[in-house]
Amino acid sequence: MTKRQAGVQGARKRASKVSAAPPVEQVPRGGSRRAAGAPRQADFVVVGGGSAGVAAAIRAASHGASVALVERDAIGGTCVHRGCVPKKLLSYGANWAAVLSGCLSHTGGREDWSDAIVRVNAEVARLAVVYQERLQQAGVRMIRGEARLSGPDTVAIGAQAIRARRILVATGSRPRPLPVPGGELAATSDDVFGWQSLPASLAVIGGGYIAVEQASILSRYGVKVDMLVREDRLLENFDRDLSTALAEALAAKGVRLHFNAEVALLDEANGAIEVCYRQGGAARTHSLRVQAALAAVGRDPHWRDLGLEALGVQQDEEGGIRVDRNFRSDARTVYAIGDVIDGLHLTPTAIAQGRWLADRLFGRRGERADFDLVPTAVFCDPAIGTVGMSEAQAIADAGKPERIATRVKRFVSLENRFAGSTQASLVKLVYNARSGRILGAHLLDNAAPEIVQSFALALRLGARMSHLQTTVQLHPTVAEELFG
Ligand code: NDP
């Protein structure tokens, strides 16, 4: 056993030791530990133990509310188990793989998927226990089971029922199935984190966050990746210069990009998957033979099996739960936050919504987070960090192109120079041509996510180009390219 494997086993043992502590009521489907009878009472029942639900439950409990949280699976939700956390850990591993093969090839150092996934699972297990402990310390009663709302103030878990003054639905989203014949042959991002070994070749269908991140990570683990993107570019809601520079970087790293590619059919033959697609509206069908396909074509809000329609809950235009500005649904005792409602589907927005709502319902009305200027990152290589408006959005907002100016810099970072790579980084600022007020910052570099977090604050405080010119740069950094 290697030192590292021993470390992982140690972490697992520690995790399983702590996991024995937090008490969780288990309610099997259709059954109950206690005889059915009068429902229990609670101020607040939260359905869903992901980022949004946990944040709201802990905050409500800190205000003295009696809170129950129902989760049928592991606490932590998509972010911890099938999203941000395992993806970011794999991304670290993939970065090390590139550094190791570039700089330490003579020592034989390399990053291996099967080893990486063991470490990812150990960290995810540790985090799930931390979530449970935090809920327990806050005094939240945890109930494991499948929740349904049997009335506007009653949550049924098997034969058990809890009555609550208010109910919060934070049940998240699920990967959208690929809507073509044979679409079920494609894996989803949920499946990737369970892969014990990697396919030799992979077709990634989609051009959004998940498609880009997974294509970038998996190609660095040695998978031959083809991306089938139905738009003419990646990440269509991001600034076009970022999309173009990212596509060039991915192509230079061996990812094959097919734009304007509409997938029509998936078929299985002799252990391989054939992906048929049309390009640029032409009638001719192309096909790709790959060992596996991954569909990353969006995520659907998950709430249809909760019994909410019967209570008068309506859906919004995107298929999520319709809520007002205060996250209240059309059933007045039922609230909803996170991926199950329309808006930016990001872990930090879900947490901010949960805490704000819990403060409003059970504590003092808090200040609302700024959901208009939300920084966001894509953890590909090179990574993207972005906040505010793209050039196209700023022009549309201002009404005339001459009202908007941009400053774009392309450069090779010191880190890349050291690694012997000429991969270009990019920083782009979008600002008001007259006042100099910065409207958007867009970065492509592995340091981008860290830089953009602080830059979001500058934008909220109304930073102008003159502030950047009169702030002394920190050298040598990637961030200094924004200044001066
Ligand atoms: P996105 O909405 O980001 O992208 C979906 C992509 O799939 C688009 O390119 C879309 O193209 C394409 N698509 C949709 N339907 C089809 C189809 N039938 N055939 C081919 N392509 C199709 O969704 P993701 O699944 O990538 O991510 C889901 C959510 O998860 C995101 O909204 C994001 O907020 C969140 N997320 C955030 C991360 C982060 O913060 N780093 C990481 C991962 C996920 P078109 O534009 O033509 O519809």
Side-chain angles (χ1 to χ4, degrees):
M1 190 189 306
T2 65
K3 224 171 161 184
R4 183 192 276 165
Q5 283 164 339
V8 169
Q9 283 208 354
R12 273 187 174 160
K13 271 188 198 150
R14 281 194 297 281
S16 60
K17 223 169 148 189
V18 213
S19 74
V24 178
E25 287 182 32
Q26 304 280 347
V27 180
R29 285 179 197 213
S32 172
R33 312 170 79 218
R34 60 206 298 269
R40 293 195 192 172
Q41 300 289 334
D43 292 320
F44 198 36
V45 176
V46 178
V47 181
S51 306
V54 168
I58 291 177
R59 184 58 65 88
S62 78
H63 293 306
S66 76
V67 183
L69 184 144
V70 190
E71 168 60 63
R72 63 179 175 196
D73 204 340
I75 297 289
T78 300
C79 173
V80 171
H81 297 276
R82 298 171 298 278
C84 320
V85 171
K87 174 274 307 284
K88 189 76 201 280
L89 292 168
L90 285 176
S91 174
Y92 281 134
N95 284 346
W96 297 339
V99 173
L100 291 172
S101 62
C103 302
L104 301 179
S105 47
H106 54 286
T107 68
R110 70 187 183 93
E111 179 73 8
D112 174 73
W113 173 268
S114 50
D115 187 34
I117 210 74
V118 169
R119 276 178 286 129
V120 167
N121 290 339
E123 175 58 12
V124 168
R126 188 192 68 81
L127 277 175
V129 172
V130 169
Y131 266 56
Q132 287 198 32
E133 285 176 337
R134 281 174 48 211
L135 285 161
Q136 188 198 8
Q137 280 157 12
V140 176
R141 194 163 83 226
M142 278 176 285
I143 303 164
R144 181 85 72 225
E146 187 100 19
R148 265 185 74 81
L149 274 70
S150 52
D153 60 355
T154 308
V155 176
I157 310 113
Q160 186 183 136
I162 307 178
R163 290 191 67 181
R165 283 199 289 143
R166 283 139 180 158
I167 296 167
L168 176 63
V169 178
T171 43
S173 59
R174 301 288 182 275
R176 184 173 301 156
L178 183 65
V180 299
E184 69 284 354
L185 295 172
T188 69
S189 57
D190 285 4
D191 302 317
V192 171
F193 301 117
W195 284 351
Q196 296 304 311
S197 60
L198 290 178
S201 56
L202 178 75
V204 174
I205 302 159
Y209 278 89
I210 294 179
V212 164
E213 290 182 340
Q214 292 298 344
S216 171
I217 290 171
L218 293 169
S219 67
R220 282 177 288 154
Y221 277 105
V223 180
K224 186 170 153 279
V225 175
D226 281 86
M227 286 189 82
L228 297 164
V229 183
R230 72 175 178 189
E231 302 297 324
D232 65 351
R233 63 163 168 142
L234 298 171
L235 301 168
E236 64 156 341
N237 294 324
F238 287 62
D239 191 275
R240 189 172 272 277
D241 283 341
L242 273 189
S243 302
T244 307
L246 175 65
E248 285 167 11
L250 288 179
K253 288 169 189 290
V255 175
R256 296 199 305 189
L257 294 153
H258 310 266
F259 290 110
N260 302 307
E262 185 82 43
V263 172
L265 170 83
L266 266 61
D267 202 5
E268 197 171 24
N270 303 327
I273 293 180
E274 186 158 12
V275 182
C276 301
Y277 64 98
R278 290 193 194 85
Q279 213 158 8
R284 188 174 152 233
T285 306
H286 304 262
S287 81
L288 265 177
R289 265 181 86 76
V290 281
Q291 223 175 30
L294 172 68
V297 294
R299 295 175 64 89
D300 292 324
H302 179 72
W303 59 281
R304 295 295 177 186
D305 47 3
L306 288 172
L308 294 174
E309 284 101 335
L311 306 178
V313 169
Q314 302 286 320
Q315 70 165 38
D316 63 29
E317 283 171 9
E318 303 296 322
I321 293 177
R322 185 169 79 182
V323 289
D324 65 15
R325 209 182 124 71
N326 298 324
F327 306 110
R328 195 176 205 179
S329 77
D330 289 276
R332 306 316 283 163
T333 49
V334 178
Y335 295 77
I337 55 170
D339 281 11
V340 80
I341 62 170
D342 190 20
L344 276 177
H345 291 162
L346 301 170
T347 296
T349 47
I351 292 173
Q353 290 167 355
R355 290 188 181 147
W356 180 85
L357 178 65
D359 284 344
R360 188 170 190 279
L361 296 179
F362 301 105
R364 249 187 315 142
R365 192 172 292 208
E367 221 178 312
R368 206 179 165 90
D370 181 347
F371 292 120
D372 293 327
L373 261 180
V374 177
T376 180
V378 187
F379 292 98
C380 42
D381 176 39
I384 281 180
T386 186
V387 61
M389 286 190 254
S390 67
E391 183 178 351
Q393 286 162 347
I395 290 173
D397 191 62
K400 288 186 183 160
E402 58 272 24
R403 290 187 182 148
I404 298 301
T406 62
R407 198 175 82 193
V408 183
K409 277 195 203 172
R410 288 185 177 79
F411 56 96
V412 179
S413 69
L414 272 187
E415 187 186 12
N416 281 331
R417 293 247 180 244
F418 181 70
S421 156
T422 53
Q423 176 183 286
S425 297
L426 176 115
V427 300
K428 176 169 179 176
L429 292 166
V430 178
Y431 58 97
N432 182 302
R434 253 182 50 180
S435 67
R437 179 155 182 175
I438 302 164
L439 305 169
H442 312 283
L443 283 80
L444 180 79
D445 184 276
N446 281 339
E450 302 292 342
I451 296 169
V452 158
Q453 171 70 83
S454 317
F455 220 75
L457 182 64
L459 257 65
R460 288 196 64 220
L461 295 175
R464 292 168 196 276
M465 292 303 280
S466 57
H467 293 123
L468 297 191
Q469 280 144 18
T470 52
T471 300
V472 177
Q473 294 135 278
L474 201 158
H475 180 75
T477 60
V478 168
E480 70 180 312
E481 303 292 339
L482 288 162
F483 295 80

